[in-house]
Amino acid sequence: MNFLINYFSDAPDWHRVVLLTVSIFLFWNIESFSGVTLNYRKWKHAFTNAFFTIPAIPVQLLLGYVLLKVIDFDTNNHFGLINWLPTMKPIYSFLLAFIVLDLCEYAYHVLMHHVKTLWKFHLVHHSDTVVDVSTTLREHPGETFIRLSFLVLWVLLSGVSFWALIFRQFIQIGSNVFAHANFRLPNKVDKVVGWIFITPNLHHVHHHYEVPYTDSNYGDVLSVWDRIFGTFMELDANHTIFGVDTHMAAEENANIKNLILMPMDEYRGGQKQAISSPPHQTQQITFPRLLQQNSFSRLKKERT
């Protein structure tokens, strides 16, 4: 454990870049022969999505500096949930930090879907009509700022240490690239892995073009939050259509200029009524789901 602490305390940023690159390369090649979607211009699509890494750099540098200052503040002032608890072994401290931050990421994702202003930024990511590993890079710089600002808040309140945060980000990078991969796990494998982790099978449902599927499976690394809060859904690959019903035109969802300006457009409500369940689709109707539906009813009205 000391090796991990020492490594992630000093790991340079380029190590995360290498992990992202290797993950994309690995799943990119798997997609090429076993992808859900094969009849599209893969390289052109990838270059469009990769463009968003350029404007993200200054935002990441700015918020990264703020993040370091927040971690220093927590450490020097013994602030945050983890710092308020009795001293525990590093492995337990990391597991607690991981779970807390993953729950926070779930909450962030729900807000991005249900607050109209935030959704217009997140829409850029969801408007991709072919979800593959390059979709991981498709994030409007405005959303990058929003996402990292929330992360600063989560870190401040949780009191997570620098090494634990970096360790989690390594896991998060691999998980997010995997979840966006344009292939699906065998159903039997997914039934096991998907009980705990977000898989491509589950995240593809989240990228379906209509609600209620778009507003489901919000989990970042763990899928348990969706099961607990009643936002878990399943949908067969042959019934899944990627994109957003309000922005299916190629001139909007595949043009870099229009994608950058998309959050400034007038809000479009789209077809937000519940759609009929297609064959082989399952939806868990649980008491937590009923609570979730009631809790977000007001926010959903704003989306419509």
Side-chain angles (χ1 to χ4, degrees):
M1 194 65 193
N2 287 335
F3 168 77
L4 292 176
I5 294 174
N6 293 333
Y7 172 73
F8 289 110
S9 295
D10 301 318
D13 290 341
W14 67 267
H15 283 201
R16 277 175 285 173
V17 174
V18 169
L19 174 63
L20 176 62
T21 304
V22 170
S23 300
I24 289 177
F25 176 79
L26 173 64
F27 296 127
W28 171 281
N29 285 283
I30 295 175
E31 288 175 344
S32 297
F33 61 85
S34 63
V36 174
T37 309
L38 296 174
N39 57 339
Y40 71 106
R41 300 176 65 181
K42 192 175 179 71
W43 280 100
K44 184 177 185 298
H45 174 257
F47 280 123
T48 298
N49 289 343
F51 164 81
F52 289 94
T53 61
I54 299 173
I57 293 174
V59 179
Q60 291 173 338
L61 290 175
L62 173 63
L63 272 299
Y65 176 78
V66 175
L67 196 58
L68 290 176
K69 292 298 181 181
V70 167
I71 293 175
D72 288 342
F73 173 84
D74 279 356
T75 302
N76 295 334
N77 294 276
H78 203 69
F79 187 82
L81 173 64
I82 295 174
N83 291 319
W84 295 332
L85 295 174
T87 303
M88 61 187 79
K89 292 183 179 180
I91 182 63
Y92 299 133
S93 176
F94 170 73
L95 289 175
L96 176 60
F98 188 96
I99 292 171
V100 168
L101 289 178
D102 205 75
L103 174 58
C104 290
E105 290 295 333
Y106 171 88
Y108 156 79
H109 202 169
V110 170
L111 288 173
M112 293 300 291
H113 276 251
H114 292 284
V115 177
K116 188 183 302 184
T117 303
L118 299 182
W119 167 251
K120 291 200 295 181
F121 285 97
H122 193 48
L123 173 63
V124 174
H125 178 72
H126 268 271
S127 64
D128 201 348
T129 54
V130 179
V131 172
D132 64 11
V133 292
S134 73
T135 308
T136 313
L137 308 174
R138 183 180 171 121
E139 182 179 75
H140 193 280
E143 181 177 358
T144 303
F145 181 85
I146 295 167
R147 176 175 57 82
L148 293 179
S149 296
F150 272 102
L151 179 60
V152 168
L153 177 61
W154 307 146
V155 169
L156 172 66
L157 297 178
S158 67
V160 61
S161 62
F162 177 76
W163 76 268
L165 176 64
I166 299 303
F167 190 5
R168 185 189 183 280
Q169 286 188 332
F170 269 76
I171 298 173
Q172 185 184 35
I173 288 171
S175 174
N176 286 347
V177 175
F178 172 64
H180 286 92
N182 192 251
F183 60 81
R184 288 200 170 199
L185 298 176
N187 287 334
K188 291 184 179 180
V189 175
D190 185 71
K191 288 294 182 184
V192 176
V193 178
W195 263 104
I196 302 175
F197 301 105
I198 290 293
T199 64
N201 305 42
L202 298 180
H203 200 64
H204 286 184
V205 179
H206 180 73
H207 276 272
H208 183 66
Y209 81 120
E210 283 186 312
V211 296
Y213 306 105
T214 308
D215 293 340
S216 69
N217 299 0
Y218 294 107
D220 186 35
V221 176
L222 304 177
S223 66
V224 294
W225 310 121
D226 290 292
R227 297 178 185 276
I228 290 173
F229 296 112
T231 54
F232 177 83
M233 296 189 75
E234 293 178 311
L235 184 65
D236 285 352
N238 58 341
H239 292 295
T240 303
I241 301 173
F242 297 131
V244 178
D245 55 2
T246 57
H247 292 75
M248 297 300 285
E251 58 269 20
E252 289 187 309
N253 59 48
N255 181 282
I256 292 176
K257 179 182 177 181
N258 289 337
L259 288 171
I260 289 293
L261 297 177
M262 189 176 285
M264 276 62 80
D265 290 344
E266 185 177 352
Y267 174 79
R268 304 179 197 175
Q271 302 299 317
K272 299 305 177 187
Q273 70 273 16
I275 60 179
S276 58
S277 300
H280 311 299
Q281 180 271 334
T282 60
Q283 177 179 348
Q284 291 186 345
I285 304 298
T286 62
F287 181 66
R289 172 170 286 279
L290 295 177
L291 289 177
Q292 178 265 340
Q293 289 174 346
N294 181 64
S295 299
F296 295 134
S297 60
R298 183 176 302 177
L299 290 172
K300 282 181 178 291
K301 288 179 181 178
E302 291 187 9
R303 282 267 314 266
T304 59

